[in-house]
Amino acid sequence: MWETKIIEIREMVKESIKGLSYEKLNQKPSPGEWSIAQITLHLAGAETRFLILAIDSAKSGGGRSDSEVDLSVFDDPSQKMIAPIEPSSDPQTMDDLMKALDESRSLTTDFLGKYSKESLNRQSMNHHRFGDMPIWQVLELLGKHEQRHLVQIENVKKRIR
């Protein structure tokens, strides 16, 4: 299910930022908040980190776990979460952002080409926030993470107009 959903969500992210000016991409709604460019870089960076962790765990055989983790924390945008890595505040062009999204997505595409839920049966990875989780659940993690930030992008767009 998440194998196809992540593709749809990524297209929604791209569609959401398409057509925004350089100024709007890089404008922060307030000093302590991220610009749309920073949110987009965060998505690309998080996907890269999630997928490298999943691929490395799959290659090494990972741990063993059948227990999926609860990712419902992503469903409530009012619940603040602190990102482990702050995205660059350097101004970005639309081309820069699309390239970052495409490069990070290539890892996901490689992962989906090499592995299946069945081939990773009961193998786990260790995520810094969620602990041991089935490797295949990385797709749900990725999708829920991007959905959450898509809402954030839409909110920022309304506030910078």
Side-chain angles (χ1 to χ4, degrees):
M1 171 178 124
W2 283 101
E3 299 89 318
T4 55
K5 213 168 179 184
I6 59 171
I7 294 166
E8 294 168 12
I9 296 165
R10 177 56 60 88
E11 287 308 311
M12 289 167 45
V13 168
K14 286 181 165 184
E15 201 57 40
S16 178
I17 68 172
K18 196 181 291 183
L20 291 176
S21 68
Y22 176 82
E23 291 75 21
K24 295 291 182 194
L25 285 173
N26 293 288
Q27 182 181 347
K28 294 182 177 187
S30 73
E33 294 181 77
W34 288 350
S35 66
I36 291 170
Q38 286 178 291
I39 297 166
T40 306
L41 288 178
H42 168 73
L43 291 175
E47 181 174 29
T48 299
R49 287 188 305 281
F50 295 163
L51 267 295
I52 287 174
L53 179 62
I55 291 167
D56 288 349
S57 296
K59 284 180 182 175
S60 71
R64 295 280 175 217
S65 175
D66 282 333
S67 303
E68 290 193 358
V69 297
D70 180 9
L71 299 175
S72 63
V73 67
F74 289 112
D75 299 335
D76 181 3
S78 69
Q79 186 174 349
K80 289 291 180 196
M81 298 170 74
I82 306 297
I85 299 172
E86 190 80 13
S88 172
S89 59
D90 293 343
Q92 303 291 316
T93 66
M94 182 66 71
D95 286 345
D96 294 335
L97 297 173
M98 291 299 176
K99 181 179 177 189
L101 289 172
D102 290 343
E103 286 176 358
S104 67
R105 185 44 49 103
S106 70
L107 285 171
T108 304
T109 302
D110 289 348
F111 176 80
L112 288 169
K114 289 180 184 169
Y115 302 101
S116 67
K117 187 172 185 176
E118 294 74 31
S119 72
L120 295 173
N121 184 33
R122 299 182 52 195
Q123 289 185 29
S124 66
M125 62 184 212
N126 190 278
H127 185 273
H128 73 277
R129 175 167 294 170
F130 300 107
D132 286 336
M133 62 186 287
I135 294 173
W136 198 252
Q137 197 179 10
V138 72
L139 300 174
E140 179 184 2
L141 173 65
L142 177 62
K144 284 183 172 267
H145 181 252
E146 288 208 11
Q147 280 180 322
R148 178 184 177 89
H149 285 294
L150 180 57
V151 170
Q152 182 185 16
I153 289 169
E154 290 303 320
N155 287 336
V156 169
K157 282 169 52 176
K158 289 175 189 168
R159 294 177 57 216
I160 61 173
R161 299 229 179 235

